[in-house]
Amino acid sequence: MLQLSNLALRKIFVGGFYRTHAGMLVFVFVMLISYCLFINTLGTVMPDQIDFWQFFFTISLVSNPLIMGFYLFASILYAYKGLQYVTSQLALPQQEFLYYSFTASSKKQQFKTWCIVQVYLFIPVLSYTFYASIIGLVFGYYLISTGILCFQLLLIIGCAYLSLKENNRLITKNTFNWLVRISRKWNKPVFLWYSFQVFNQSKLAYVLTKLLSWVLISSVFMLFADIKENSRLLMLITSCIVVAHAVLIYQERVFNNRYLAFLPNFPFPKAKMFFSFGLNYLLLLLPEICWMANRFGLITSLGLAAFAFSAILSFRSLLLLDGIRIKGFLILVFCQFFLFYIVIIFGLGLILIPMNIVTAWLVFKGNYLNDSSLDI
């Protein structure tokens, strides 16, 4: 019986996880292999140093605490994705048989089985970790090499323990999270429902967006360190912030198509429909707006917020075009960002605010009732 349960666990969780995330895993694997085996160095490199530079990232991983920290953080994200997949599958009605069959064995046997499942899920990460550890041991970095491997094993044990607890938890009705419990008595405008959706169901996407926004802001400051007080620099930073939120803009359109498709049947003025959904982005951009107000003053931050709002309206209007998909949307976003860059560099950034709003309004007015569907 236990062997049958082990086979069922591997087919349900391991096979399903790799089918769901096959594209991401293949991309990362090919990128790492290409880097480690086929990268060419610039300049004159001695033959006995070629191997070192080809494995530079791997050597940095086991010798540089900062690179190691980034790798461990990436491992935590991978563990979170795997655990999220396991818990989501356990919540499905068709997997309830595991609660009545697999839990009949002892907790010790269950824990061993879940450890095996997690090892299968961690095979891509463990493979590179073993490879990096061997390189580190060869070059004499014993402490970090063994530390990374031990950290991976602790992640596996922790995920196995959480999976065990989830599988043995009594099946009860779904409970609302803290946001729903706090806000269920609030009067929620229909145009702000997407913001509640983000904080309720898409917290990881929101956090990753904010991290990307922070990285872009830091990069612009580093590249243009000599013009920190220049208004063109601030508008470039604001453009980067808006581009970092492109995925949330796309998901907002998907959310509206899926859950708010009835809104065109209501007698809302077009102008209200056009501007009201932008309130979501003012709310989602609140951390960046507060940062700008604290660093650059109220008047400057209001101008930058107006530019960000107009740019978002412009990006969002692109999703109304017939047959648009995520790939085409991102291409148009980066083309428009390049246009922003040219206009801002020539010191004409302020004209982008009315230009974005007018362009977005014309596209919205002509394609508001477009029935094209979106899939994320």
Side-chain angles (χ1 to χ4, degrees):
M1 183 67 179
L2 185 60
Q3 291 180 348
L4 294 176
S5 298
N6 295 346
L7 181 61
L9 289 178
R10 288 198 296 271
K11 286 187 175 181
I12 294 171
F13 300 108
V14 179
F17 177 79
Y18 285 120
R19 283 193 299 270
T20 303
H21 301 87
M24 176 192 70
L25 295 174
V26 169
F27 171 76
V28 174
F29 178 78
V30 171
M31 182 178 66
L32 288 175
I33 293 297
S34 301
Y35 182 89
C36 293
L37 298 182
F38 303 109
I39 188 172
N40 292 319
T41 57
L42 295 174
T44 303
V45 179
M46 301 299 294
D48 57 342
Q49 296 178 341
I50 291 178
D51 291 339
F52 176 84
W53 288 106
Q54 284 183 332
F55 300 112
F56 177 75
F57 178 78
T58 305
I59 296 171
S60 299
L61 173 64
V62 295
S63 62
N64 190 321
L66 181 61
I67 302 298
M68 181 194 69
F70 280 118
Y71 181 69
L72 296 183
F73 179 73
S75 302
I76 293 174
L77 289 180
Y78 184 87
Y80 174 78
K81 291 293 292 184
L83 186 62
Q84 186 183 46
Y85 181 82
V86 170
T87 54
S88 64
Q89 289 297 311
L90 287 174
L92 295 177
Q94 59 265 34
Q95 315 299 355
E96 288 184 3
F97 75 94
L98 293 173
Y99 177 78
Y100 300 103
S101 59
F102 181 59
T103 55
S105 58
S106 64
K107 292 287 184 66
K108 183 178 180 180
Q109 290 294 334
Q110 292 180 54
F111 181 71
K112 289 181 179 179
T113 304
W114 278 116
C115 284
I116 295 173
V117 170
Q118 290 296 330
V119 168
Y120 278 114
L121 293 179
F122 266 79
I123 284 178
V125 180
L126 284 177
S127 300
Y128 189 75
T129 300
F130 279 121
Y131 168 74
S133 298
I134 292 173
I135 297 296
L137 292 175
V138 170
F139 282 88
Y141 300 107
Y142 305 110
L143 182 61
I144 295 182
S145 301
T146 55
I148 293 175
L149 186 59
C150 292
F151 183 81
Q152 302 285 349
L153 296 178
L154 288 176
L155 278 180
I156 291 174
I157 293 173
C159 291
Y161 175 74
L162 293 176
S163 301
L164 174 66
K165 286 190 63 176
E166 182 66 21
N167 188 206
N168 285 269
R169 186 172 58 86
L170 291 175
I171 301 175
T172 58
K173 65 179 182 179
N174 293 329
T175 57
F176 299 114
N177 68 12
W178 63 271
L179 178 63
V180 176
R181 291 197 300 269
I182 292 174
S183 63
R184 63 182 180 179
K185 292 186 179 180
W186 296 357
N187 183 19
K188 306 178 186 65
V190 66
F191 300 106
L192 289 178
W193 284 1
Y194 176 66
S195 296
F196 286 94
Q197 166 71 9
V198 169
F199 293 121
N200 184 39
Q201 298 291 338
S202 304
K203 292 183 285 293
L204 179 60
Y206 181 73
V207 171
L208 293 178
T209 298
K210 294 304 171 185
L211 288 175
L212 177 60
S213 179
W214 175 77
V215 169
L216 291 176
I217 291 172
S218 303
S219 301
V220 173
F221 271 128
M222 291 176 61
L223 291 173
F224 301 93
D226 55 333
I227 53 173
K228 285 187 177 180
E229 301 303 326
N230 195 296
S231 60
R232 288 177 293 179
L233 175 63
L234 301 183
M235 296 200 74
L236 283 175
I237 290 173
T238 306
S239 300
C240 293
I241 291 173
V242 175
V243 170
H245 290 73
V247 173
L248 292 181
I249 296 172
Y250 189 87
Q251 288 183 336
E252 186 252 357
R253 180 62 178 166
V254 174
F255 175 82
N256 291 342
N257 281 358
R258 186 174 300 167
Y259 300 109
L260 301 179
F262 58 86
L263 283 183
N265 299 321
F266 286 82
F268 291 126
K270 280 189 177 181
K272 183 175 182 179
M273 295 287 293
F274 177 68
F275 286 105
S276 295
F277 280 114
L279 297 176
N280 288 296
Y281 300 107
L282 290 180
L283 185 60
L284 297 177
L285 287 171
L286 191 59
E288 286 85 355
I289 293 175
C290 292
W291 170 77
M292 289 186 293
N294 180 62
R295 179 154 186 170
F296 307 113
L298 181 61
I299 302 299
T300 303
S301 63
L302 287 176
L304 296 176
F307 170 64
F309 184 70
S310 68
I312 284 178
L313 291 179
S314 179
F315 289 166
R316 188 180 181 276
S317 67
L318 298 175
L319 294 170
L320 298 174
L321 300 176
D322 189 28
I324 194 71
R325 291 294 182 268
I326 182 66
K327 181 179 178 180
F329 171 67
L330 292 178
I331 291 174
L332 291 176
V333 164
F334 282 103
C335 290
Q336 197 162 353
F337 172 74
F338 182 70
L339 176 63
F340 289 171
Y341 176 80
I342 295 176
V343 174
I344 291 171
I345 287 298
F346 281 95
L348 303 174
L350 290 179
I351 69 171
L352 288 173
I353 298 176
M355 186 177 72
N356 286 335
I357 294 176
V358 171
T359 304
W361 168 253
L362 292 176
V363 176
F364 176 83
K365 189 176 180 181
N367 298 273
Y368 172 56
L369 297 178
N370 193 349
D371 292 330
S372 62
S373 59
L374 295 174
D375 293 313
I376 190 70

